[in-house]
Amino acid sequence: MIKLKLFAFFLLIGLPHTSFSQFGITHEIGVVAGRVEFRSDYGQRHDTKTNLNNMGFGISFVDYLNFSYTDFVNDYFAEHFKVRNEFSYSKANLQHYGVWVEKNTIPSKQLQAMRGTTQLINLGFQLEYSFLHIHDFEKTIGSFNPYISLGPQVSYYTATATSELGELGNITTTYPKYLVPSDGRPHGYSNESKAVFSVALNLGTRYKLTSMSDLMFDIRAQYFGSDWVDGLNPNEDLFKENKNNDWLTFVGLGYIYYFEH
């Protein structure tokens, strides 16, 4: 599966370069790396310790289609929009934190002992809006160009849920609400690998480093069409606090290289 995704990514880069260059569409490639913060069913909602500790690493390979050198699209579109193709990987280690874990009870100790991991492979595209004219930015070394982008992703996740007390699935090791069947699974936890659709919203800015390269500061919020991405999903009919699908934030630094205009 990973090899298939890698092949699709390099095909994604190669096709625009060969097929679109004849129309004056230029090409930019880059890499962005940083920290991933996973918002999931692990830990207490809106708890600082939960948010700061359920983190991991992420890396994205990006490929931009730049229309500013074409003459067949609207001038405003050409000077403000790019298509951002992206292939990314991330992994986060997950654990319960918050008031329910800090009590000296058997259920609290069961929560304390739970461990989870989520690995994600994403492939998708976004329409990116630049707040400055693209040509003006490209001509000014040392300038900044803020942007915002939005688009769909196909995400393939591998989630694991374990316990330091032993195998999950019995009353000795497992917090009670995770023993209840949920969404077609025998329990409220699952070790599984599946594909899911997601939506990514990116905010950031470019810094013009040289005439042919930029530095990038990038923030992404990604919302998944499933609540199983972290491996936990207590029965929502019984446990009303479990009301949101999983999502993450990514904060990264990147480098973008321009092909010859």
Side-chain angles (χ1 to χ4, degrees), residues 8-181:
F9 169 69
F10 289 114
L11 185 64
L12 193 67
I13 288 180
L15 284 179
H17 186 57
T18 57
S19 302
F20 296 155
S21 60
Q22 60 182 313
F23 299 110
I25 300 175
T26 59
H27 215 48
E28 306 163 16
I29 62 170
V31 60
V32 186
R35 299 289 291 177
V36 170
E37 180 185 314
F38 213 89
R39 303 297 181 94
S40 71
D41 295 303
Y42 279 91
Q44 181 181 344
R45 182 178 287 114
H46 307 309
D47 176 67
T48 301
K49 194 172 182 181
T50 296
N51 296 337
L52 292 178
N53 285 281
N54 284 334
M55 300 183 73
F57 172 79
I59 186 168
S60 297
F61 300 95
V62 293
D63 163 53
Y64 287 90
L65 301 182
N66 184 336
F67 301 91
S68 64
Y69 294 88
T70 65
D71 56 9
F72 64 88
V73 296
N74 178 275
D75 288 343
Y76 185 85
F77 183 92
E79 284 292 349
H80 288 279
F81 287 93
K82 297 179 181 179
V83 173
R84 170 176 173 164
N85 302 305
E86 186 167 1
F87 174 86
S88 64
Y89 169 82
S90 64
K91 180 180 179 180
N93 296 317
L94 307 171
Q95 191 173 337
H96 288 289
Y97 298 94
V99 62
W100 304 108
V101 180
E102 296 168 355
K103 299 179 179 181
N104 188 26
T105 63
I106 292 177
S108 292
K109 291 180 179 179
Q110 290 171 335
L111 287 176
Q112 292 171 16
M114 285 191 72
R115 299 291 185 271
T117 63
T118 294
Q119 297 185 71
L120 277 163
I121 297 173
N122 303 288
L123 183 65
F125 70 93
Q126 299 174 54
L127 186 64
E128 182 171 295
Y129 175 79
S130 298
F131 287 90
L132 300 182
H133 279 220
I134 291 172
H135 274 149
D136 291 343
F137 170 69
E138 291 178 349
K139 294 174 183 177
T140 310
I141 306 298
S143 63
F144 290 88
N145 190 4
Y147 62 84
I148 183 171
S149 63
L150 178 69
Q153 304 263 327
V154 176
S155 303
Y156 185 81
Y157 68 89
T158 298
T160 65
T162 61
S163 173
E164 294 184 339
L165 296 176
E167 185 176 353
L168 289 173
N170 60 76
I171 60 174
T172 303
T173 63
T174 312
Y175 191 73
K177 75 175 182 179
Y178 297 119
L179 290 173
V180 179

